[in-house]
Amino acid sequence: MAFASSTSVIEATAGVNDAESLCYWPLWRLTQALQTQALSAQTLLDACEAAFTRDHETVHALVIHDHAAARAEASRIDAARRAGEALGPLAGIPFSIKESFDVAGWPTTCGDPAHAQNIADQDAAVITRLRRAGAVLLGKSNVPLHLRDWQSHNAVYGTTRNPHDPTRTPGGSSGGSAAAVCAGMSVFDVGSDIGSSLRNPAHYCGIFSHKSTHGLISLAGHGIRSDDPMPDINVAGPLARSAKDLEILLRVLAQDGRELRAPRPVQLDHCRIGVLSSHPFAPVDSEVSSVIESLARRLEQSGAKVTMQSMPSIEAEELWRTYVLMLRAATSMYMNDSAYAQAQERARACDPHDLSYAALQHVGTVLDHRAWLQLAQARRRFARAWDDYFQLYDVLLCPAAATPAFELNQAGEPWQRMLSVNGRPQPMTTQLFWAGFSGLCGLPSTVTPAGLSTEGLPVGVQIIAGHGEDLTSLRVAQWLEDLGYCYRPPRMRRQ
């Protein structure tokens, strides 16, 4: 089932100054209204604050917020605009930021009570760029403990819920980010992604996100006292209510000196699209795969050259093993000595042939340098296979997750929890395969709404492009949006 045009849905309900619909408008349209002074930054801020007041108790997405400071900044921007001053491209646009990014004077905890008093003394690099562009910071969005879950709950801030169905997850680790944007509390958010942390929340909440090419956006100031602008595998990227918004934000967030390569196809009927709706190693529920296949047929009817069941020449088990080991090696630097010692004990007890996430996570955490170098060699081989693939195709469409948003389940550890996939139990962590598929080699991935499940829950599709080809995956997302695969406000969907 395709979505109706987001613009037509909003225009059918209210005018430009109606707070009930204004908070759901896409960034690109809001910037036009602000620049022509058909809309004030103060009015837009009021609309976002009204959405926050209405749904915060239920959704609990913005766990740190300062609407008073944002109101003062919006008033300053309105005065500057009336005076004819030159302003940045995002001047007056309210935004939120994932809790794991530093904001001067605010805590960065990553959901860990041990870091409750970790007050940042300067802004993260992405905050600096967004403020320079004139965006108005509203608050911080919730995360899971240590950013390691496909849900967003922790002992510091509590549980975030999906605006479409509060009994279900909004995703993680950028789950608060997606929930805030979906619910109209902020116009956009910026999250991070090392294991689908931008992609699964967009899929679950029915919005758009972009996992950028590795290194395109600085991650300096992300995490606990981290100044590394380009940690292994991990990237930053925006979440928004339109594919057009993602491109606007990417141009603001890209590091100086990093040029965005022009998109490959100039029109849809020139586009070569591969589709992989499921895989035997990491099966996807038919509620998701059937939506992706339907979308692929729609693209083919619109003139695109579509090839089903297509993927690069990469062995799935080897990709999975390499990804999980390197993923957990990358995150091991944030562990304290006690946690690392526990991982060493658990790794010694693991069967070297065990491909379960439960085992690989411990082995990866304590990898020696020689083993890591061998994995890096495999990763380069996978990257060459992707390069070969993108000689034949412009993008690959695949799932972002195995199911639509699942019911909240906070019992035990993430790798101990199960999902029902086509009526069979599957470890929740198995769907990380779809994260590592593009993430291991640093490829850009855009997630866009693709339709609805039989229960009416959002289903997204992941659009993977070649290294540095961010604008290519975004261009395909924009074409899909033009075809009606759009964000829908959650309250309107329930009616």
Side-chain angles (χ1 to χ4, degrees):
M1 183 187 303
F3 291 148
S5 163
S6 58
T7 301
S8 64
V9 168
I10 293 167
E11 287 180 336
T13 61
V16 70
N17 292 316
D18 188 324
E20 279 295 308
S21 65
L22 186 60
C23 66
Y24 299 128
W25 280 30
L27 179 151
W28 65 265
R29 193 166 181 220
L30 290 168
T31 55
Q32 290 177 355
L34 287 167
Q35 289 165 3
T36 61
Q37 300 188 53
L39 172 69
S40 70
Q42 182 68 66
T43 298
L44 176 54
L45 179 65
D46 289 346
C48 292
E49 186 172 5
F52 171 85
T53 301
R54 181 188 65 221
D55 288 338
H56 175 62
E57 185 175 346
T58 300
V59 176
H60 200 63
L62 297 185
V63 292
I64 301 173
H65 42 87
D66 192 343
H67 289 91
R71 191 175 300 109
E73 177 64 6
S75 178
R76 184 196 69 77
I77 289 171
D78 283 337
R81 184 167 274 127
R82 287 193 299 269
E85 296 181 20
L87 297 171
L90 301 180
I93 297 291
F95 78 102
S96 51
I97 192 76
K98 188 175 183 176
E99 198 272 353
S100 48
F101 284 95
D102 285 343
V103 175
W106 290 6
T108 300
T109 72
C110 293
D112 189 340
H115 300 303
Q117 302 307 313
N118 178 44
I119 307 301
D121 57 8
Q122 62 182 11
D123 288 344
V126 296
I127 294 289
T128 299
R129 298 189 76 87
L130 292 168
R131 288 194 200 271
R132 192 181 301 152
V136 178
L137 180 62
L138 295 175
K140 280 192 165 191
S141 45
N142 204 20
V143 297
L145 175 65
H146 300 156
L147 316 184
R148 288 184 63 174
D149 200 341
W150 286 35
Q151 303 174 99
S152 294
H153 64 95
N154 59 74
V156 180
Y157 297 117
T159 298
T160 299
R161 298 173 181 273
N162 192 312
H164 291 280
D165 180 347
T167 69
R168 297 176 184 267
T169 182
S173 61
S174 306
S177 302
V181 172
C182 176
M185 297 178 189
S186 59
V187 175
F188 71 89
D189 198 297
V190 176
S192 59
D193 188 316
I194 195 171
S196 196
S197 292
L198 284 161
R199 289 166 283 173
N200 77 74
H203 158 73
Y204 291 147
C205 291
I207 65 169
F208 296 78
S209 72
H210 183 71
K211 186 195 85 66
S212 55
T213 291
H214 187 248
L216 179 64
I217 300 173
S218 174
L219 271 174
H222 176 265
I224 304 299
R225 304 182 188 91
S226 173
D227 61 358
D228 187 351
M230 200 168 71
D232 194 29
I233 305 177
N234 207 4
V235 303
L239 305 98
R241 293 190 289 265
S242 170
K244 297 176 186 176
D245 296 356
L246 296 179
E247 181 173 344
I248 292 168
L249 293 167
L250 193 67
R251 293 184 184 280
V252 170
L253 292 167
Q255 296 194 68
D256 292 340
R258 298 293 185 101
E259 292 187 9
L260 294 173
R261 200 176 304 163
R264 288 188 181 192
V266 294
Q267 55 194 52
L268 181 55
D269 60 7
H270 291 173
C271 194
R272 303 164 301 168
I273 298 174
V275 181
L276 185 67
S277 59
S278 186
H279 193 282
F281 186 82
V284 172
D285 195 85
S286 61
E287 290 275 24
V288 173
S289 60
S290 63
V291 168
I292 292 174
E293 289 161 9
S294 176
L295 176 147
R297 289 191 294 270
R298 178 72 186 281
L299 285 169
E300 190 168 36
Q301 291 165 4
S302 300
K305 298 171 181 62
V306 175
T307 303
M308 304 298 292
Q309 296 304 108
S310 170
M311 68 175 288
S313 298
I314 295 174
E315 205 280 320
E317 288 189 5
E318 186 183 13
L319 172 69
W320 165 257
R321 179 179 180 276
T322 304
Y323 169 63
V324 177
L325 291 176
M326 297 192 85
L327 167 69
R328 295 283 69 107
T331 58
S332 67
M333 66 175 291
Y334 304 110
M335 300 174 72
N336 60 37
D337 291 344
S338 175
Y340 188 79
Q342 289 179 357
Q344 287 178 309
E345 282 187 36
R346 291 169 178 167
R348 282 192 287 269
C350 291
D351 181 340
H353 302 293
D354 189 346
L355 286 178
S356 71
Y357 177 88
L360 291 175
Q361 64 173 330
H362 304 307
V363 176
T365 295
V366 299
L367 277 181
D368 62 37
H369 189 54
R370 180 173 180 270
W372 189 93
L373 289 173
Q374 290 171 336
L375 294 172
Q377 186 175 37
R379 175 162 60 178
R380 287 191 292 272
R381 181 159 38 82
F382 300 153
R384 289 193 295 272
W386 276 112
D387 288 344
D388 292 343
Y389 183 83
F390 288 120
Q391 294 297 314
L392 303 174
Y393 300 95
D394 297 308
V395 295
L396 172 64
L397 308 188
C398 68
T403 68
F406 54 87
E407 292 185 353
L408 293 168
N409 176 8
Q410 300 176 7
E413 299 292 349
W415 57 90
Q416 297 170 329
R417 303 179 195 136
M418 306 296 284
L419 296 176
S420 177
V421 178
N422 295 319
R424 297 180 179 179
Q426 180 186 111
M428 189 178 75
T429 46
T430 298
Q431 61 189 332
L432 275 168
F433 173 84
W434 300 104
F437 198 43
S438 62
L440 178 62
C441 293
L443 306 181
S445 297
T446 305
V447 169
T448 182
L452 301 175
S453 73
T454 55
E455 293 183 277
L457 294 169
V459 173
V461 63
Q462 180 177 188
I463 308 166
I464 303 173
H467 196 275
E469 302 275 1
D470 296 71
L471 294 185
T472 294
S473 64
L474 285 170
R475 176 62 58 85
V476 174
Q478 290 164 11
W479 285 331
L480 285 170
E481 191 172 16
D482 290 341
L483 290 173
Y485 297 92
C486 302
Y487 158 80
R488 294 180 71 183
R491 285 181 172 267
M492 297 167 70
R493 192 185 66 77
R494 293 189 194 124
Q495 293 177 354

